[in-house]
Amino acid sequence: MPDPIVLKTIVEMSAWSAKALRKDKSIGFVPTMGALHAGHKSLIDRARKENDLIVVSIFVNPTQFGPGEDLDKYPRTFEADEKLCTQAGADALFFPDRKEMYHEASRTYVEVGGLQDVLCGMSRPGHFRGVATVVTKLFNIVRPTRAYFGRKDAQQLRILQTMVRDLNQPVEVVPCEIVREPDGLALSSRNAYLSPRERKQALGLSKTLEHCKQAVAKGERDAMKLIGAMAEMLEEEPDAEIDYVAIVNAATLEDVTTIAGECLAALAVRIGKTRLIDNVRLNA
Ligand code: AMP
């Protein structure tokens, strides 16, 4: 496979896309923050199957990090990322720096009311505003036919689907399944922060969600009971500190009292200093 072309400026990226679109090529787009792993690769693989050309972006977006979060120490592994993109058959890698993406006098943001304030939005105010803004900017620069997002970040996915609908953005959002380690841990760039002891405890997230899914399969419909059982299981891990344990309607992200239709069991848990999220879909 040839290496993807690396484009660092908006002008270069836009010109590349314009040329592809003039030739009637479809563009599949995978936005990432780098430190790529098999979860990201599954998005690129899916995009490869459904489009003529593939663009992967790598940009650690400052506007989605709050004060005291891990912006500065977020893993940056460009060479390995480039290799993974080559193996996955990406055609272009958009790798802008912060100044390229944000004009110093930048003052325009995209907000998706309501959906951005619940779950992760409670402890990360401004996070989804940063995500919606950067993804809109990336869509305008790359002009993709389809964009691929993981269900690992279920709230982000729901927010971006809503944004695309509300703003008539001309792109199809394609949800992709969560890729997990063989033992169940959802792949995440932040797993790199975990010590071996924390890595073991991190397994509590997927185990707890699986337990909840089984309970629903056996007929449990009471959300409070399910949430209580999940919290109890998580509290067994000595270094786990729960941010939230929730069961929400998958479309509205509102809390439910009874499992009906498509719901989402979602967790955010700090293991030591590392905040991890995971979720599972529940179908009653
Ligand atoms: P990030 O680099 O963390 O911003 O993630 C970029 C994209 O990869 C997002 O759409 C994530 O939802 C997706 N992603 C991250 N981890 C996984 C995973 N384990 N399985 C599937 N998609 C993932």
Side-chain angles (χ1 to χ4, degrees):
M1 288 271 190
D3 286 346
I5 180 169
V6 179
L7 305 166
K8 293 190 172 180
T9 68
I10 292 168
V11 166
E12 285 173 315
M13 184 67 247
S14 295
W16 186 94
S17 286
K19 190 170 160 200
L21 294 169
R22 268 199 306 275
K23 291 186 190 158
D24 268 339
K25 303 283 189 196
S26 57
I27 299 176
F29 178 39
V30 181
T32 81
M33 298 207 299
L36 302 183
H37 50 63
H40 298 111
K41 184 168 180 297
S42 74
L43 271 52
I44 305 173
D45 290 343
R46 171 93 185 262
R48 182 77 273 168
K49 289 198 189 105
E50 299 175 353
N51 301 276
D52 298 320
L53 293 169
I54 306 303
V55 179
V56 176
S57 66
I58 296 179
F59 180 59
V60 183
N61 173 36
T63 64
Q64 71 188 69
F65 286 79
E69 289 188 350
D70 57 346
L71 173 61
D72 293 332
K73 73 168 182 138
Y74 197 84
R76 287 160 171 90
T77 59
F78 184 75
E79 276 172 25
D81 292 350
E82 194 179 17
K83 208 179 271 176
L84 184 143
C85 287
T86 303
Q87 284 162 0
D91 298 286
L93 197 47
F94 182 44
F95 184 50
D97 68 16
R98 181 184 178 146
K99 270 199 247 142
E100 183 66 15
M101 282 300 282
Y102 289 101
H103 189 278
E104 59 186 23
S106 179
R107 56 183 64 239
T108 308
Y109 292 92
V110 179
E111 303 212 16
V112 182
L115 295 180
Q116 68 178 5
D117 302 319
V118 298
L119 303 173
C120 290
M122 304 255 279
S123 57
R124 303 189 73 190
H127 169 68
F128 289 113
R129 176 176 104 142
V131 171
T133 302
V134 81
V135 171
T136 296
K137 286 162 71 69
L138 289 167
F139 283 174
N140 288 338
I141 296 162
V142 175
R143 292 163 65 196
T145 316
R146 299 181 189 85
Y148 295 79
F149 295 92
R151 291 191 187 278
K152 160 86 183 351
D153 300 276
Q155 184 175 14
Q156 166 175 286
L157 170 66
R158 192 68 201 122
I159 286 172
L160 296 176
Q161 286 172 324
T162 306
M163 175 185 87
V164 163
R165 181 198 69 195
D166 292 354
L167 298 182
N168 310 100
Q169 294 176 333
V171 56
E172 182 190 335
V173 170
V174 182
C176 301
E177 293 309 317
I178 302 176
V179 176
R180 297 179 179 281
E181 299 278 9
D183 63 4
L185 179 69
L187 295 188
S188 163
S189 305
R190 290 191 168 96
N191 291 350
Y193 300 149
L194 299 169
S195 69
R197 173 186 152 97
E198 290 169 341
R199 168 67 182 77
K200 272 191 206 141
Q201 297 186 51
L203 204 51
L205 278 83
S206 55
K207 272 195 191 153
T208 297
L209 289 168
E210 190 50 38
H211 198 261
C212 174
K213 195 174 164 183
Q214 298 294 333
V216 172
K218 283 188 198 139
E220 182 58 75
R221 295 290 178 268
D222 183 331
M224 285 317 286
K225 269 196 198 158
L226 291 162
I227 290 170
M230 284 195 283
E232 242 173 61
M233 269 186 85
L234 287 167
E235 277 156 8
E236 282 171 21
E237 306 295 347
D239 300 326
E241 191 195 311
I242 295 173
D243 179 357
Y244 64 77
V245 178
I247 300 184
V248 297
N249 177 290
T252 64
L253 304 184
E254 283 167 2
D255 289 328
V256 298
T257 48
T258 306
I259 312 300
E262 196 179 315
C263 294
L264 212 57
L267 309 175
V269 180
R270 224 171 268 285
I271 306 283
K273 286 191 175 134
T274 307
R275 185 175 177 281
L276 299 175
I277 57 170
D278 198 354
N279 69 88
V280 70
R281 274 177 293 164
L282 304 171
N283 274 306

